[in-house]
C-alpha cells in the first residue's frame, strides 16, 4: 500500500458525492457516474483522465462491494476536483473497517486480487482512512499529463 498520506489542502471547485448499493450493479453505476461527471467537468469520454478515473473507480468500487459489504449498508463514491493541486481525488467509502486491504494476489494465476496493484500503477498516490464506521480508500490522479 502507498504509505503516503494525502489530505486536500484546497477546497474542491467541483464535487460529486453519491451513495450506491453495495452490489455489482452499484459498482458499475459508480464507474458510469465517474465517466459522465468527468465529461461534464471538461474531461471527455476517451480522454486519459476519464479512462484512468473509470479504471480506478471500478477497482475501488468492486473492492467495496466484494470485501467491504455489510448487508443493508451502501457504499459512497466521492469525486473532488482540486485544480489548485492539479488533482482529481477519488474516494470510495464502505461500512466495513474490520478487514485489512490485501495488496498482492494470493494466487498469481488466479482471476482476482490485482485491483490495488492497478490502483498503485494508475494513481499518483492512494491510501486508506479509517472512519467511525468503515473506511475510505482514496486515490489521487493528476489533472495534467506529466511533461
Amino acid at each position: 500500500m502507498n504509505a503516503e498520506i494525502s489530505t486536500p489542502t484546497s477546497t474542491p471547485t467541483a464535487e460529486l458525492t453519491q451513495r450506491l448499493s453495495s452490489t455489482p450493479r452499484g459498482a458499475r453505476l459508480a464507474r458510469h457516474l465517474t465517466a459522465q461527471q468527468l465529461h461534464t467537468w471538461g474531461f471527455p469520454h476517451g480522454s486519459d483522465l476519464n479512462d484512468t478515473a473509470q479504471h480506478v473507480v471500478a477497482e475501488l468500487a468492486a473492492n467495496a462491494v466484494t470485501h467491504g459489504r455489510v448487508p443493508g449498508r451502501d457504499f459512497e463514491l466521492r469525486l473532488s476536483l482540486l485544480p489548485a493541486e492539479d488533482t482529481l481525488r477519488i474516494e470510495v467509502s464502505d461500512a466495513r473497517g474490520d478487514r485489512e486491504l490485501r495488496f498482492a494476489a494470493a494466487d498469481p494465476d488466479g482471476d482476482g486480487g490485482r485491483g490495488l496493484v492497478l490502483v498503485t500503477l494508475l494513481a499518483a498516490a492512494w491510501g486508506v482512512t479509517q472512519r467511525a464506521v468503515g473506511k475510505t480508500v482514496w486515490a489521487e490522479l493528476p489533472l495534467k499529463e506529466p511533461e
Side-chain angles (χ1 to χ4, degrees), residues 69-144:
R69 183 176 183 276
V70 172
R73 302 293 298 267
D74 295 335
F75 76 94
E76 183 177 271
L77 169 68
R78 176 173 289 149
L79 304 173
S80 302
L81 263 185
L82 305 168
E85 299 174 24
D86 289 327
T87 299
L88 169 67
R89 185 172 174 98
I90 299 167
E91 299 178 0
V92 175
S93 301
D94 63 54
R96 189 156 196 176
D98 62 339
R99 285 190 174 175
E100 291 198 22
L101 297 178
R102 287 189 357 211
F103 180 71
D107 178 6
D109 296 324
D111 290 336
R114 292 175 186 81
L116 294 178
V117 174
L118 289 174
V119 171
T120 299
L121 294 172
L122 295 172
W126 75 275
V128 180
T129 305
Q130 295 299 319
R131 303 175 350 145
V133 175
K135 66 186 169 302
T136 298
V137 182
W138 56 266
E140 293 180 345
L141 303 177
L143 294 178
K144 296 180 181 177

Side-chain angles (χ1 to χ4, degrees), residues 4-114:
E4 186 176 336
I5 300 295
S6 175
T7 55
T9 56
S10 63
T11 304
T13 59
E15 189 170 87
L16 166 77
T17 302
Q18 182 67 50
R19 295 187 97 165
L20 300 153
S21 65
S22 289
T23 62
R25 184 173 187 253
R28 282 190 308 273
L29 183 55
R31 184 176 55 82
H32 291 298
L33 284 170
T34 298
Q36 185 56 44
Q37 188 61 55
L38 286 173
H39 181 79
T40 300
W41 286 341
F43 302 96
H45 298 280
S47 68
D48 287 343
L49 180 65
N50 196 307
D51 289 347
T52 301
Q54 285 185 63
H55 286 301
V56 170
V57 167
E59 294 301 338
L60 297 183
N63 281 351
V65 303
T66 303
H67 307 293
R69 183 176 183 276
V70 172
R73 302 293 298 267
D74 295 335
F75 76 94
E76 183 177 271
L77 169 68
R78 176 173 289 149
L79 304 173
S80 302
L81 263 185
L82 305 168
E85 299 174 24
D86 289 327
T87 299
L88 169 67
R89 185 172 174 98
I90 299 167
E91 299 178 0
V92 175
S93 301
D94 63 54
R96 189 156 196 176
D98 62 339
R99 285 190 174 175
E100 291 198 22
L101 297 178
R102 287 189 357 211
F103 180 71
D107 178 6
D109 296 324
D111 290 336
R114 292 175 186 81

